[in-house]
Amino acid sequence: MKSEAMLTNSNCASEVILYRKYGYSSGTAHVHGDSGIIALDCDTWIIKSFEKTNSAALYITGKVDVTIPEQNYSGYISDFNPNCSGNLPTDYPFPSYPLNYFCVDTELVSPVFLSLANLEVAYGTVAVASISTIPSSSTIYSGLTLANGVDGILGFIDDNTPGSILDCSIKIGEMDKVTGQVIWQTDASLSLGWDGETLNVLSDTLPDTWSLRNITKQVDGNWIINVLLDAYGAAYLYADYSETNFCGIGSGVDIDNTGSLLVFETNCSEWRFRSSGVFPPKSTSNFILYSSFSEPVVDYSFTNYNIVNSKYNIPDLPALFAKGTLPAKLKWIDDDKYPTWLMLDTESMIYSAVIISCPVSGDCYFTSKYLYGYLSDRTQPQNADSPLTIMYGNLDENGIFLCNGQGQLVINFLDTGPVITATGLPDHLVFSSVVKQADSTWLATLTELIN
């Protein structure tokens, strides 16, 4: 039976009720900014169960103290807003003690998580300790993030009020995986600001090779900074991530070094990458996700061939691609590289489908009367000595491409737009002038002239 301290009225304040006994007995209500100790050691659990109301959230975390070199962080806990529990010792059987709590109201603040997963291969188990003040309170918060997969909270931001700032004092070190102790080495600082639309880095003294460009709001309302290694010092960084919403292990490169990438490989059952983006987001981006095939085309069915273009970072590649034929490739192209699409305006069945092949890069694209396809861009290596190949034909009842002929294309990307020179095509199959679209891409039309 629940104690009377448990608040069940939906009109009451947002509170966390912490109970000194199992099963929600002997409880005390706590509000935003309250903090304290849950357990001193395995035999001394001060709080044994808890519940919460409305927008109240509980953050359960291990103690962080950079002045104690012998402290063991092996079982460090970082758990924000867990489900109500009638038995906390069972839920957290082997934590590093003492185990603390912070109460926050998610209507007032949002947590800002930090992920260092991408640093572990290069630097080992990097540790970042952060100290800040919880907004709308005087409570000092301290947290820890480890590169071995423990995403800690840097601090909390008031993302209701434009101009709000989160200032963090930071200590950087490396954790010994055997002892769990951290050798603290570097002092740093980080200041984040909410401008009413996005969370931005105002200033930082973190290592120069740490890219903080990937700051993303998750579906649950929490923020996360997924740190990438940036050896380029570029203004923009392109990155693919192993998980949706730009989380997990990422691979980042200067945007000038991007090309097409297999995000779902042949003979695999899982997506290699599940989200992709340019950080900070770039309004001139073009993400092209398409079914991957190669020449010669023999048994490949184009029935569910898919190609989609996004001007925005893609938080969920599998969802965007839907039921398109796998494997799949992804390429990123800036508007200044003249991304050019292809449309067919043909009547005869023998001209109802086209395959474009780039011999140098190996990229292939498909277009039909019912589906726009990709043609080329400035990054595609092609000239008079290595032209694009264009094959025209139709699909049979199984979606297999039947080639009825082929020609060659050379595209000159002039300041005024792409200019196509075709050879080897029938005289009545011609390319119209390439037209710039409202989204800054270009569209070429292959037209069948009817006498």
Side-chain angles (χ1 to χ4, degrees):
M1 182 176 179
K2 296 181 181 179
S3 164
E4 291 183 358
M6 173 56 195
L7 304 179
T8 57
N9 187 338
S10 61
N11 295 319
C12 68
S14 296
E15 296 178 330
V16 175
I17 300 87
L18 302 178
Y19 298 96
R20 294 184 297 277
K21 296 182 180 180
Y22 298 109
Y24 316 106
S25 178
S26 301
T28 304
H30 295 263
V31 296
H32 178 80
D34 287 350
S35 63
I37 298 174
I38 290 179
L40 293 170
D41 53 49
C42 62
D43 296 320
T44 313
W45 282 76
I46 300 170
I47 305 299
K48 296 185 175 69
S49 58
F50 83 95
E51 293 183 291
K52 56 196 176 183
T53 68
N54 299 328
S55 56
L58 184 68
Y59 182 44
I60 298 176
T61 175
K63 179 182 179 181
V64 180
D65 191 338
V66 298
T67 66
I68 305 177
E70 65 274 14
Q71 184 163 337
N72 186 340
Y73 294 99
S74 299
Y76 180 77
I77 298 294
S78 177
D79 194 7
F80 180 72
N81 208 14
N83 292 325
C84 298
S85 172
N87 191 328
L88 283 168
T90 299
D91 293 340
Y92 304 98
F94 304 108
S96 60
Y97 294 101
L99 198 60
N100 298 331
Y101 70 84
F102 293 89
C103 299
V104 297
D105 189 336
T106 56
E107 290 292 326
L108 302 177
V109 299
S110 297
V112 181
F113 285 85
L114 181 70
S115 175
L116 303 173
N118 294 298
L119 304 186
E120 186 170 24
V121 173
Y123 296 126
T125 306
V126 179
V128 169
S130 174
I131 298 176
S132 61
T133 301
I134 298 177
S136 300
S137 80
S138 58
T139 302
I140 302 300
Y141 160 81
S142 59
L144 179 71
T145 299
L146 299 171
N148 64 359
V150 177
D151 294 345
I153 291 179
L154 274 173
F156 297 84
I157 186 76
D158 172 8
D159 52 6
N160 297 303
T161 308
S164 297
I165 295 175
L166 167 60
D167 289 319
C168 302
S169 297
I170 288 174
K171 198 86 170 178
I172 303 172
E174 182 176 356
M175 188 179 84
D176 186 314
K177 292 183 179 180
V178 177
T179 65
Q181 297 172 356
V182 175
I183 300 174
W184 299 106
Q185 301 162 332
T186 307
D187 292 314
S189 63
L190 174 63
S191 181
L192 301 171
W194 168 251
D195 63 8
E197 294 183 0
T198 59
L199 191 61
N200 302 293
V201 176
L202 302 180
S203 64
D204 77 275
T205 59
L206 294 168
D208 291 339
T209 56
W210 291 20
S211 169
L212 305 180
R213 296 177 180 87
N214 180 359
I215 304 178
T216 308
K217 192 162 192 176
Q218 304 295 288
V219 293
D220 57 8
N222 301 335
W223 293 92
I224 186 167
I225 304 176
N226 198 329
V227 178
L228 282 172
L229 277 178
D230 181 7
Y232 306 96
Y236 293 93
L237 206 63
Y238 171 88
D240 300 291
Y241 290 92
S242 59
E243 303 297 333
T244 58
N245 296 312
F246 318 108
C247 292
I249 303 299
S251 119
V253 297
D254 183 342
I255 59 173
D256 291 332
N257 295 327
T258 58
S260 57
L261 172 74
L262 272 171
V263 290
F264 192 110
E265 299 186 56
T266 307
N267 300 322
C268 290
S269 58
E270 294 291 335
W271 285 75
R272 178 185 175 196
F273 297 107
R274 290 179 171 270
S275 54
S276 293
V278 170
F279 302 95
K282 203 168 189 290
S283 61
T284 57
S285 292
N286 295 273
F287 295 90
I288 303 168
L289 180 61
Y290 59 99
S291 298
S292 173
F293 66 96
S294 58
E295 284 290 305
V297 180
V298 181
D299 297 325
Y300 185 90
S301 173
F302 288 91
T303 300
N304 293 313
Y305 177 90
N306 196 14
I307 183 166
V308 288
N309 182 36
S310 174
K311 297 290 289 184
Y312 306 98
N313 289 350
I314 305 174
D316 193 334
L317 289 168
L320 178 65
F321 201 58
K323 296 182 180 180
T325 299
L326 298 168
K329 273 186 175 181
L330 177 72
K331 69 184 302 177
W332 178 86
I333 296 293
D334 195 277
D335 283 347
D336 65 7
K337 299 299 189 296
Y338 291 74
T340 306
W341 291 75
L342 177 61
M343 179 180 75
L344 297 188
D345 182 14
T346 57
E347 296 293 334
S348 303
M349 178 63 70
I350 62 171
Y351 306 132
S352 61
V354 160
I355 289 175
I356 302 295
S357 174
C358 180
V360 178
S361 68
D363 288 329
C364 295
Y365 310 107
F366 173 76
T367 305
S368 77
K369 290 177 60 175
Y370 313 103
L371 178 72
Y372 280 25
Y374 197 67
L375 180 59
S376 189
D377 53 68
R378 259 183 174 162
T379 68
Q380 295 283 157
Q382 46 91 30
N383 51 47
D385 295 325
S386 57
L388 301 176
T389 298
I390 176 170
M391 290 172 282
Y392 57 87
N394 60 279
L395 302 183
D396 68 11
E397 64 274 12
N398 296 314
I400 306 299
F401 180 76
L402 304 178
C403 182
N404 297 314
Q406 68 179 50
Q408 295 180 329
L409 303 178
V410 173
I411 306 176
N412 292 313
F413 294 93
L414 307 178
D415 291 341
T416 54
V419 176
I420 301 172
T421 301
T423 57
L425 295 179
D427 292 340
H428 55 278
L429 208 56
V430 298
F431 279 93
S432 64
S433 298
V434 185
V435 179
K436 191 172 185 178
Q437 305 298 293
D439 63 358
S440 295
T441 62
W442 296 80
L443 180 64
T445 303
L446 182 60
T447 302
E448 178 187 1
L449 301 178
I450 305 296
N451 294 327

